Amino acid sequence: MTADPAADAVPATAATEVEFISLTHTNASTELVPIPSRGIDLPFVRRYVRTLEDGGFDATLLPYGSASADSFVLAAAVGQVSERIKPIVAVRPNTVFPTVAAQQLATLDQLTEGRAVVHLISGGSDAEQARQGDYLPKSERYSRTSEFVDVLRRSWTETQPFSHAGEHYRFDDFGPGFPPYAAAIPISIGGQSDAAFDIGGSKADIFSFWGEPLADIAAQIARVHGIAAAAGRADRPRIWVTFRPIIDRTDELAWAKAHDYAERISRTFETGAFRKGNKAAPQNVGSQRALEFAQRQEIYDRALWTRTAAATNGQGASTALVGSPETVAAAILDYIDLGASLVSIRGYDTVNDVIDYGRYVLPLVRQELEHRRVTGRRGALQGEHLGALATAGRS
């Protein structure tokens, strides 16, 4: 515990609770040990999802790509092999008509008794969009997502048939649509472009960020909240941040592991053994920002490491949190203090990392939040486990 009482005060921005998210893998292939396979290993999926549930995770993302498993079908499977995990379905509006997506999501919500969540991806790569016949410019893709959100919500709530004639969608006398299980299905939006902020801040239930330095995330959260306020919202989007933690018994061991991982990941992406390598400058702003942070420096704040982002050329969420379980838990709490209430942590060693996170990281974060609830003060974790802050001479 620090000697300064002010340092023990819980920030006014801090979230009071957290939900932990992972990402469901369809087979054992990883960036560290690529396995040539494009199929689904069903026993692996069952084991992975049950390991998430046993480890105390709350939700899992079912990603979408033109060459991936279908996110809706996979979400339905996850819902049936788990009792508590929320399936978060990644949906690209170019791949499904919004009234159909509304039916699919409501069906999933009914099957899982209210656990469905949807994460909308407008599309950050022209080449990837074109693989499924979408040639809409990026600026218009976001306006399509905005219209998609409006139709989803009307499809779930209108009690009479309704028609729609918008910029991207048109239909007559739809509905009443198939309803969700009970409450509205949460809609998540991510992205770093101005259009993503405008739509997410004004319409989304959740706004998603990749892991960035604390000062930058704080500014981004303030921007989202400012847009929400300007839109006249009484609420604010929940904040979701994503990391790839690398942990070991001590900080020193974790950093040794991290450097080994980065070298292996670089080789994997250079050879295209895990995912086709792409050395071209990425189009999406999130990847551009990740590479800019990596070029500026490798280590930020307590534990944020950017070399893994550089190794993948900014493809996907790839920034790491490195350290002992205590240091990584303290780093997660730093983001919770800024207002993040949804924290996605997925490792590079998939199942084994889920086990370790569930045993050693999640309980520490939840214990601290319970301490705050009972005492109204911070506990000792953040003050005692400084990670990179210690070597930077800060306290």
Side-chain angles (χ1 to χ4, degrees):
M1 191 76 68
T2 58
D4 180 7
D8 297 336
V10 178
T13 55
T16 57
E17 58 184 24
V18 64
E19 290 184 75
F20 282 101
I21 302 168
S22 186
L23 177 148
T24 292
H25 303 269
T26 57
N27 55 56
S29 184
T30 72
E31 292 105 320
L32 299 176
V33 184
I35 300 171
S37 172
R38 296 180 65 241
I40 293 175
D41 182 340
L42 186 55
F44 176 87
V45 172
R46 288 195 185 106
R47 180 188 175 205
Y48 186 85
V49 174
R50 288 168 182 165
T51 303
L52 287 177
E53 198 148 66
D54 291 344
F57 279 79
D58 301 285
T60 186
L61 175 66
L62 293 315
Y64 186 84
S66 61
S68 72
D70 181 82
S71 56
F72 274 111
V73 177
L74 193 57
V78 166
Q80 296 310 298
V81 299
S82 63
E83 296 180 357
R84 188 179 51 79
I85 295 290
K86 298 177 182 178
I88 305 175
V89 188
V91 175
R92 287 208 315 233
N94 64 295
T95 63
V96 59
F97 201 76
T99 54
V100 177
Q103 289 175 303
Q104 292 172 316
L105 288 162
T107 303
L108 177 65
D109 203 47
Q110 292 261 7
L111 287 171
T112 59
E113 298 181 303
R115 287 184 274 154
V117 181
V118 60
H119 179 62
L120 297 180
I121 305 171
S122 298
S125 165
D126 291 343
E128 169 64 10
Q129 297 298 119
R131 291 185 183 106
Q132 291 185 311
D134 183 24
Y135 298 94
L136 208 63
K138 186 175 180 181
S139 59
E140 294 182 41
R141 293 201 289 264
Y142 278 102
S143 69
R144 177 174 59 193
T145 297
S146 180
E147 191 174 337
F148 198 92
V149 170
D150 294 339
V151 174
L152 280 183
R153 289 211 170 105
R154 290 196 69 186
S155 298
W156 292 328
T157 57
E158 290 282 357
T159 59
Q160 299 295 325
F162 70 99
S163 300
H164 176 86
E167 182 181 359
H168 302 282
Y169 303 108
R170 178 180 176 181
F171 54 87
D172 296 310
D173 296 327
F174 173 78
F178 190 67
Y181 179 73
I185 297 171
I187 297 173
S188 168
I189 289 176
Q192 288 288 304
S193 67
D194 291 342
F197 275 95
D198 289 342
I199 297 166
S202 61
K203 296 186 177 184
D205 301 297
I206 299 165
F207 198 95
S208 172
F209 294 102
W210 290 346
E212 293 189 354
L214 289 166
D216 296 274
I217 286 287
Q220 303 288 60
I221 292 173
R223 183 180 179 188
V224 170
H225 288 176
I227 291 169
R233 292 181 58 166
D235 65 342
R236 298 292 180 268
R238 295 181 67 188
I239 301 301
W240 170 2
V241 291
T242 298
F243 307 99
R244 307 287 298 273
I246 301 171
I247 67 170
D248 212 317
R249 295 187 303 279
T250 67
D251 286 352
E252 292 75 17
L253 288 172
W255 280 108
K257 180 190 286 189
H259 284 93
D260 174 61
Y261 277 16
E263 291 179 6
R264 293 165 66 183
I265 292 165
S266 293
R267 289 196 296 270
T268 296
F269 275 82
E270 285 171 2
T271 60
F274 179 76
R275 184 187 301 156
K276 184 178 179 180
N278 185 357
K279 296 184 179 181
Q283 285 185 294
N284 62 305
V285 180
S287 292
Q288 293 169 7
R289 286 173 63 88
L291 291 176
E292 288 171 6
F293 289 128
Q295 290 166 3
R296 195 180 307 164
Q297 62 190 66
E298 283 196 359
I299 303 173
Y300 292 84
D301 306 313
R302 190 186 306 265
L304 188 72
W305 197 46
T306 63
R307 188 184 291 185
T308 44
T312 65
N313 196 35
Q315 292 186 45
S318 52
T319 47
L321 295 175
V322 181
S324 67
E326 292 80 7
T327 296
V328 169
I332 289 170
L333 285 160
D334 293 337
Y335 289 88
I336 292 173
D337 284 344
L338 297 179
S341 62
L342 297 158
V343 177
S344 178
I345 54 171
R346 58 186 177 93
Y348 291 98
D349 192 10
T350 56
V351 174
N352 290 328
D353 282 335
V354 168
I355 293 170
D356 285 345
Y357 299 158
R359 286 177 178 172
Y360 306 118
V361 177
L362 273 62
L364 290 173
V365 175
R366 289 183 169 133
Q367 287 167 16
E368 167 64 16
L369 293 180
E370 177 62 14
H371 174 86
R372 294 179 180 191
R373 187 190 69 79
V374 172
T375 68
R377 313 292 293 178
R378 279 177 168 170
L381 190 67
Q382 288 163 284
E384 292 181 352
H385 298 277
L386 299 177
L389 294 176
T391 57
R394 289 176 281 178
S395 59

